[in-house]
Amino acid sequence: ELFPSDDPRDRIWTASTSDSTKPAGWDEYWGNSLPFRPISDQDFYCTYTDTFNTAIPSHVPLHLKVIQKSYSWAGGYADAIIPLEYWIINVGEKPIQQAYIGYFTDTDLGPYYVTLANGYTHDFFTQNAIGYYKDLRTGYCYNPVDRGSTPIGVTLLSTPRYRGEESPTPDAERYKWLSSGEIKPDQSINDLSDVRFLFGFGPFNIQPRDTLKIVMAIISGNDLDELKENAIRALKLAQRGYKVPVTPPSPPLHVNIGQRRVDLDWKWRPGDRGIDPETVVDDSNKIAQADTSRKGRVFEGYKLYRS
């Protein structure tokens, strides 16, 4: 029920911290609503309303405009986190009372290309289960059957009211679900199925010209432990204003082979490539800045793996 208009400028706009070039027509299109300030390695921006396409059965426009933003980073601390911001604006003349916001996720995890010996395609989407990390406000889906299937989750960067596994219709039934305040129990791995989940949170009263900001994050990980860690990172990232922590560069590694021994030396010396990782400073790291012995340095230690 939400669409861009047929104006060709109603498109997906992109920006990047690696390229400070402002796209042509940015100021004319966005005006004061979205200053050009790239956040991540790949920003996406777009806008849409529920008033452009009204030829939808049973659709009653609420006169909403949405500005949607998303951010993503290539590698490092936040490479498995995609924050999504929704700026919901009441462009009508009437207040919207007792509004609930829903975020619906229909996940299908597994190897879709597998064909069984009997000729039937593997119904990977029936091998899924969902759960909820209450303290992290994160709903997630995983496939415990098919090896290599990585979980996916959604972290809400405000307070959720509800999580469920069905698709209610019509709108009146959806509203009941969103406003119920119910949190259903995690699904058992002995009861796998084709699953989905729904966040609902509110209520909100949105006055004319008011803006309601909702922030989610799509997260992943190689397993549930890593997904949980990325949920923690997503919450921290939002608290830091999407400022990704500085990652010290890899140290040099000098290898000296002797009689039945190998000496490894990773002490940085003048002439080595790059910079000394032990001297890297992050001026946004409050813990490092508060420790006078560290003087803002974020280096903590080395890990050595043998195989």
Side-chain angles (χ1 to χ4, degrees):
E1 298 175 355
L2 291 152
F3 293 87
S5 75
D6 54 8
D7 185 333
R9 298 180 303 168
D10 269 3
R11 58 182 175 86
I12 297 176
W13 296 72
T14 62
S16 173
T17 53
S18 63
D19 183 1
S20 59
T21 305
K22 184 187 297 184
W26 181 282
D27 291 337
E28 292 78 7
Y29 180 81
W30 291 106
N32 294 327
S33 63
L34 189 62
F36 183 73
R37 297 192 189 100
I39 301 295
S40 70
D41 295 327
Q42 189 175 54
D43 299 359
F44 289 140
Y45 306 94
C46 65
T47 185
Y48 43 84
T49 71
D50 71 342
T51 57
F52 177 69
N53 184 357
T54 58
I56 303 171
S58 303
H59 173 46
V60 179
L62 291 175
H63 298 279
L64 294 174
K65 176 182 178 180
V66 180
I67 297 176
Q68 180 178 321
K69 312 174 185 181
S70 69
Y71 313 114
S72 60
W73 291 265
Y77 181 87
D79 65 343
I81 303 169
I82 302 179
L84 294 143
E85 292 188 4
Y86 298 91
W87 296 59
I88 303 169
I89 307 166
N90 181 355
V91 295
E93 301 299 326
K94 298 179 180 179
I96 301 173
Q97 298 176 335
Q98 296 292 298
Y100 283 82
I101 306 301
Y103 200 90
F104 177 75
T105 306
D106 187 356
T107 53
D108 295 317
L109 300 181
Y112 73 92
Y113 50 83
V114 172
T115 301
L116 303 181
N118 58 11
Y120 289 99
T121 301
H122 174 49
D123 291 334
F124 63 93
F125 51 86
T126 65
Q127 308 299 312
N128 292 181
I130 56 176
Y132 183 58
Y133 295 131
K134 184 177 180 180
D135 293 343
L136 299 175
R137 306 192 292 265
T138 299
Y140 61 90
C141 175
Y142 65 107
N143 180 330
V145 175
D146 298 305
R147 291 185 60 189
S149 299
T150 53
I152 191 169
V154 175
T155 300
L156 175 62
L157 305 183
S158 61
T159 305
R161 289 287 301 272
Y162 171 77
R163 183 186 67 81
E165 301 90 6
E166 299 181 37
S167 307
T169 55
D171 285 351
E173 292 301 313
R174 290 172 175 160
Y175 185 86
K176 290 179 182 179
W177 283 53
L178 291 173
S179 60
S180 70
E182 179 184 3
I183 299 177
K184 291 195 173 183
D186 292 352
Q187 186 172 352
S188 168
I189 60 173
N190 298 318
D191 185 28
L192 304 177
S193 60
D194 180 9
V195 299
R196 56 202 63 100
F197 61 88
L198 173 70
F199 276 117
F201 36 98
F204 306 102
N205 292 330
I206 315 174
Q207 298 298 324
R209 307 297 180 266
D210 273 0
T211 299
L212 181 65
K213 180 182 176 182
I214 303 298
V215 186
M216 313 292 294
I218 297 174
I219 60 171
S220 187
N222 287 317
D223 51 38
L224 287 178
D225 288 338
E226 193 170 285
L227 179 137
K228 192 172 184 178
E229 175 61 31
N230 284 322
I232 296 172
R233 289 186 176 189
L235 291 163
K236 290 181 179 178
L237 192 63
Q239 294 169 358
R240 292 168 57 99
Y242 304 122
K243 193 166 185 178
V244 178
V246 171
T247 302
S250 296
L253 182 62
H254 304 281
V255 180
N256 297 307
I257 301 175
Q259 181 65 28
R260 301 184 63 185
R261 62 181 290 169
V262 175
D263 294 328
L264 303 178
D265 176 7
W266 49 84
K267 182 67 176 178
W268 190 91
R269 299 176 178 83
D272 285 334
R273 295 181 59 183
I275 60 176
D276 184 352
E278 298 184 22
T279 64
V280 173
V281 173
D282 181 357
D283 59 8
S284 68
N285 189 320
K286 295 180 180 179
I287 295 177
Q289 290 291 332
D291 187 341
T292 56
S293 66
R294 296 178 67 173
K295 299 179 181 179
R297 294 190 298 270
V298 294
F299 174 82
E300 293 185 353
Y302 295 103
K303 289 184 178 180
L304 184 63
Y305 298 89
R306 176 183 180 226
S307 66

